[in-house]
Amino acid sequence: YRFDLIVRGGTIATASDVFRADIGIRNGRIAQIGEALTGDCEVIDASGKYVLPGGIDSHVHVSQPSGEGIVMADDFESGTLSALFGGNTTIMPFCLQEKGRPMREALTAYHKLAEGNCYTDVSFHLIVSDPTDSLLGQELPALAADGYSSFKVFMTYEDLRLSDAEILKTLDVARSTGATVMVHCENEDAIRFLIARHEAAGDVAPRAHASTRPVAVEREATHRALSLAEIVDVPIVIVHVSNGEAMEEIARARARGLKVVGETCPQYLVLTAEDLDGMDWEGAKFVCSPPPRDKAAQAECWRGIETGVFDLFSSDHCPFRYDDERGKRNPKGLASFRHIPNGIPGVETRLPILFSEGVMKGRIDLPRFVSLAATAHARTYGLYPEKGTIAIGSDADLAIWDPTEKRTIRHADLHDGADYSPYEGLEVTGWPTTVILGGRVMVRDNTLVGAKGDGTYRSARTRGAAPL
Ligand code: URP
Ligand code: ZN
Ligand code: ZN
Ligand code: ZN
């Protein structure tokens, strides 16, 4: 039996099993899993290490237009490089439909940005910003059949929010095409009301971002999104859930029989609204929506991870520079928190934080980690079983974790295009020190050996479409 690469002696974990074995890789895929594999090829010694499926981060923003004068800090090159060093082999960024324009136009431009520039594989979600009859009737069904099988809709942001009527129609397209809809749940009218009240009171510092997006704003919208999905009778994904009350809405909808996938993110486990305080606009470094909450909400989110309310753990990486002309994140001249672009970087730190805080501290076991890191993402968005597991025939996308590696997170050591990390100073144990993409070693012992362009675009199946 001939292999191109053997990973020897590691402890392999999938979403269901943990076992000691060698992995034989041929033509970019896993060809054999067994004992004492040999071959006339490169052999990576993984003894003392965990060999896990490469991470899949299914919620990442790169090169997404974000309003006048605001430029996202990562393009496909820096975004995928940062993802790779954080143990990921696939990311799923968002292609944003421009209002009044066809989705295809945005997709063509987005593919062009990605082509030849990626260090990980990529697959796209489509943001529906203008659900016209032609988009819903012709374009989305054709795109869903063409490998673009997940749509995101927003209940917030002035220029992105859809009405309930528009959300119902989009959900109906998902029902008939087998696409999956991700919903950003926050009540925009309530937020506008609170922003006006805070500005009138002169309360305009970054912390007011959190005060104007309280839990009730998210809980109400989560309940509404779940109700709309129930009425249409279609599965949905509730993204970036920040607290126990929104989580309970998901659990209750599940108990009624709705198929719903819940997602949470590192910021809701280790940050709080107090981080938005701080000298000199420093709090802007933590402005994301929904905002980080409090210690009790962190504990609730951990409970959701442990009990399975959350299937997905994503970064919601959405990087803006803090102290830079282009980014406007440190808008010394701007009058209000309202102008701070929403989103924080985190694609490289997502898995080390979950590994260290979750696995090393005994909150979750290794199979649960693998599911939250990779397997559930592949299953939810139609990339399984090529992606998201270690099995014969699957892509040889592997992250080799050294559970003894201790690090203090410093932005200077990360690879994204932002100029800070919201997790600066956080101590973690365990890091993915070697990363393999499609059988190609991309990072070897913390050193980049792969090349830009080694990662490629991967299309996704719709729900119910037969795998393989
Ligand atoms: O604040 C956030 N989360 N920005 C990213 C865009 C989104 O809503 O996911
Ligand atoms: Zn969102
Ligand atoms: Zn997002
Ligand atoms: Zn950077």
Side-chain angles (χ1 to χ4, degrees), residues 90-204:
T90 301
I91 65 168
M92 299 188 75
F94 293 86
C95 174
L96 170 67
Q97 176 201 17
E98 206 186 304
K99 278 209 163 118
R101 310 295 314 171
M103 187 70 83
R104 279 276 183 203
E105 192 177 284
L107 255 181
T108 302
Y110 215 52
H111 270 290
K112 212 165 152 205
L113 291 172
E115 181 75 42
N117 287 321
C118 294
Y119 288 93
T120 66
D121 285 352
V122 295
S123 190
F124 300 157
H125 306 295
L126 308 177
I127 294 177
V128 175
S129 70
D130 195 2
T132 58
D133 287 348
S134 71
L135 183 85
L136 296 169
Q138 286 99 52
E139 253 206 306
L140 287 184
L143 288 169
D146 240 12
Y148 306 95
S149 61
S150 47
F151 315 145
K152 185 176 180 190
V153 299
F154 288 81
M155 300 171 96
T156 184
Y157 302 138
E158 202 81 74
D159 45 350
L160 285 180
R161 71 180 293 189
L162 302 190
S163 67
D164 290 356
E166 291 171 323
I167 292 172
L168 284 162
K169 285 194 233 172
T170 307
L171 287 168
D172 201 31
V173 174
R175 178 183 153 88
S176 59
T177 60
T180 298
V181 176
M182 315 161 76
V183 191
H184 180 135
C185 301
E186 287 183 294
N187 182 319
E188 178 69 12
D189 288 342
I191 293 164
R192 289 288 127 195
F193 171 82
L194 291 172
I195 288 176
R197 187 191 261 181
H198 278 255
E199 286 196 328
D203 183 4
V204 293

Side-chain angles (χ1 to χ4, degrees), residues 59 61 152 154 157 184 240 287-290 316 318 342-344:
H59 191 151
H61 304 264
K152 185 176 180 190
F154 288 81
Y157 302 138
H184 180 135
H240 46 47
V287 166
C288 58
S289 294
D316 194 8
C318 186
N342 287 196
I344 59 178

Side-chain angles (χ1 to χ4, degrees), residues 365-412:
D365 61 14
L366 217 40
R368 182 83 188 124
F369 174 83
V370 170
S371 182
L372 289 157
T375 316
H377 301 258
R379 298 184 89 111
T380 300
Y381 298 116
L383 297 172
Y384 186 85
E386 292 90 339
K387 302 292 189 192
T389 192
I390 295 176
I392 290 169
S394 292
D395 288 5
D397 294 350
L398 304 170
I400 303 179
W401 284 70
D402 182 347
T404 67
E405 177 126 340
K406 286 188 191 300
R407 290 204 198 175
T408 302
I409 292 175
R410 302 273 177 228
H411 180 261

